[in-house]
Amino acid sequence: MPAQVQQAGSRSLRRCGTIGVMQPGQRAIIHVDMDAFYASVEELDDPSLAGKPVIVAGLGRRGVVSTANYEARKYGVRSAMATSEARRRCPGGIYIFPRHARYQEISNVVFGVFAEVTPMIEGLSLDEAFLDVTASLRLFSSIEAIGRRVKEGIRERTGLNASVGMAHNKLLAKLASELSKPNGFLRIAPDEVRGYLDPLPVGRMWTVGKVAEESLQKVGIRTIGDLVRADAWRLNKAVGERHAAQLRELCRGEDRRPVVTDAPEVSIGSEWTFEYDVEELPIAEAWLLRQCERVGARARARGLDARTVSVKLREPPFLTHSRQAQLPVPGNATADIHAVARRLLQVWWSQHPRPRLRLLGVTLSGFDARHGDEQQDMFAAPAPDKRSDGVQDLINGRFGAGALVRAGVLKTRGSE
């Protein structure tokens, strides 16, 4: 593997591979990933946390880790780990409940930096995105110049570090940011692809999960280089002929996926895992209303009308049920969403002799984007009065999520 990856720390800005002009017809793709984003924001707001293991997580009995900073990762703490396991591994850590409104605020600044170099932005989460800067090369001297502008702009405006990977496709750009973390800055040039890819464990390749990795290892394919050199019989035996062709292409460093901007939202969901099982229907209905408020607000903020409401119900320990129904008219009013979701919950509750819930969630899907100049159907059901939703969205947007809730949600307060 090239020496750039083996060096870490403050010298990361110099780890940029071979600086050169992109070839004609070649894309210029940047992958940006904020380092330990939630935990870094907490350290930014409370400098006394610097140098300490910081874990942002649900703090209840069934909480899950959202982000752990690099100090905490030394103890084996990682994202998606149960908070109880994290406490066992790192009893001296600082455990903080997530502040999503604050993270969104910082994310908006970060994405504002992206927009200064290209409109071609594919957001993957609050702290991660692909940028297609091919057209921007005419304004800047190189992809490295654009990447450095993004990295330094984020640092100047937020005080946070971002890892920046650059390449001629999404696969390699993401790999570059991963290999150079933390505070990374790396370009993988076309003539360097094999040097970076071949030594990596085959499980590092996108689309290769644990099952596929084990199958590949059984036929002697342990690294990406092994896969590239493997004969078709061995590869087909391990992952099947259909997956084999795609996988070989990826392992050669080939990826034709475009950067997709403004991708249509497939679903909007909110769920909650209870610290103690819920055994009373009124309490379950209160939590359901709380989730309906959240998904309704998010749909309204995006100007989306949903057709389908789904309810996710998990009995202890991990038996999960899903129920869904259509809204009478596509929309995003909390009252309408809750009416459908509540009916689904009540039917499920009545069908179980001893209903208990470990988790409850609501998801909206089947979206139609609304347009102000569309002619309304005079025979459609009357539109709901959204004035209460508008006031609630305005107050929560100014003072933070949950500042104003419906009275029915108050039963959930104090049980978080």
Side-chain angles (χ1 to χ4, degrees):
M1 181 177 297
Q4 297 100 312
V5 175
Q6 298 171 11
Q7 302 172 30
S10 61
R11 291 175 293 173
S12 59
L13 272 175
R14 296 197 295 270
R15 296 203 312 269
C16 57
T18 302
I19 296 179
V21 179
M22 304 293 290
Q23 297 300 313
Q26 198 174 85
R27 293 185 297 159
I29 309 297
I30 295 177
H31 179 260
V32 183
D33 193 5
M34 302 297 292
D35 293 341
F37 183 53
Y38 291 2
S40 296
V41 172
E42 298 300 336
E43 291 182 51
L44 179 72
D45 291 350
D46 183 358
S48 70
L49 297 175
K52 300 175 183 177
V54 177
I55 299 100
V56 178
L59 304 181
R61 284 193 318 131
R62 293 168 177 169
V64 175
V65 174
S66 296
T67 308
N69 71 357
Y70 289 95
E71 289 297 322
R73 293 180 195 184
K74 295 176 183 178
Y75 294 87
V77 179
R78 52 178 173 73
S79 299
M81 174 181 286
T83 305
S84 56
E85 174 64 15
R87 289 187 187 277
R88 187 186 68 78
R89 297 189 182 201
C90 186
I94 310 297
Y95 290 82
I96 300 173
F97 192 78
R99 298 183 297 149
H100 293 290
R102 176 59 172 154
Y103 308 147
Q104 181 67 66
E105 180 184 354
I106 298 293
S107 175
N108 292 342
V109 177
V110 170
F111 274 72
V113 175
F114 299 160
E116 292 177 359
V117 298
T118 179
M120 300 294 293
I121 305 167
E122 181 179 343
L124 305 178
S125 63
L126 290 180
D127 62 327
E128 183 181 6
F130 283 111
L131 315 179
D132 187 332
V133 297
T134 308
S136 304
L137 292 175
R138 286 175 291 183
L139 301 175
F140 301 92
S141 59
S142 65
I143 189 173
E144 290 91 349
I146 300 173
R148 189 170 289 106
R149 180 187 177 107
V150 168
K151 183 178 179 68
E152 293 176 352
I154 291 172
R155 179 69 184 177
E156 289 169 3
R157 298 181 201 182
T158 69
L160 302 178
N161 291 326
S163 289
V164 175
M166 299 153 286
H168 49 281
N169 62 44
K170 292 169 76 172
L171 172 75
L172 295 171
K174 182 172 175 62
L175 179 65
S177 69
E178 290 175 352
L179 290 177
S180 60
K181 274 185 169 288
N183 196 21
F185 187 83
L186 175 65
R187 178 194 171 198
I188 298 180
D191 60 354
E192 297 176 318
V193 172
R194 295 269 53 87
Y196 281 104
L197 284 182
D198 286 1
L200 295 176
V202 71
R204 288 291 301 271
M205 179 51 63
W206 176 58
T207 77
V208 177
K210 285 189 175 181
V211 174
E213 183 178 14
E214 290 173 0
S215 298
L216 289 164
Q217 289 178 347
K218 286 178 182 177
V219 297
I221 299 175
R222 292 179 171 78
T223 68
I224 291 175
D226 291 340
L227 192 146
V228 172
R229 295 184 292 269
D231 58 79
W233 182 87
R234 275 198 302 158
L235 192 54
N236 292 347
K237 180 183 178 182
V239 298
E241 186 174 352
R242 185 174 181 180
H243 188 201
Q246 179 199 30
L247 191 54
R248 194 186 293 275
E249 190 174 82
L250 290 171
C251 287
R252 288 198 299 261
E254 300 171 11
D255 181 10
R256 293 185 290 272
R257 290 176 299 156
V259 169
V260 180
T261 60
D262 296 324
E265 196 115 32
V266 176
S267 65
I268 293 175
S270 177
E271 60 186 42
W272 192 268
T273 299
F274 305 115
E275 186 168 1
Y276 298 97
D277 297 336
V278 171
E279 300 182 9
E280 300 176 29
L281 180 58
I283 299 299
E285 289 176 335
W287 279 100
L288 187 75
L289 176 57
R290 183 170 180 170
Q291 308 314 315
C292 290
E293 285 189 340
R294 288 177 173 174
V295 297
R298 289 170 56 191
R300 291 189 293 274
R302 291 163 172 76
L304 298 172
D305 288 332
R307 296 177 179 272
T308 305
V309 177
S310 303
V311 175
K312 180 179 178 181
L313 312 109
R314 178 171 295 160
E315 296 182 89
F318 294 106
L319 181 60
T320 303
H321 309 269
S322 180
R323 301 288 186 271
Q324 70 176 40
Q326 303 294 308
L327 285 164
V329 177
N332 54 33
T334 295
D336 291 348
I337 297 167
H338 183 241
V340 173
R342 185 183 184 192
R343 187 167 64 250
L344 293 171
L345 171 64
Q346 290 174 337
V347 170
W348 180 87
W349 200 274
S350 67
Q351 293 172 342
H352 290 72
R354 189 175 171 237
R356 289 187 303 153
L357 288 176
R358 173 190 174 94
L359 175 147
L360 181 62
V362 176
T363 298
L364 302 180
S365 58
F367 293 120
D368 288 336
R370 288 183 282 108
H371 302 283
D373 57 352
E374 285 182 349
Q375 183 175 355
Q376 299 297 314
D377 183 352
M378 69 176 66
F379 299 107
D385 182 356
K386 296 185 180 180
R387 285 175 295 181
S388 61
D389 284 337
V391 172
Q392 184 179 21
D393 293 345
L394 182 64
I395 292 175
N396 287 338
R398 182 171 181 180
F399 297 103
L404 180 65
V405 298
R406 287 168 170 77
V409 172
L410 296 178
K411 295 178 183 178
T412 69
R413 290 287 171 89
S415 57
E416 303 177 54

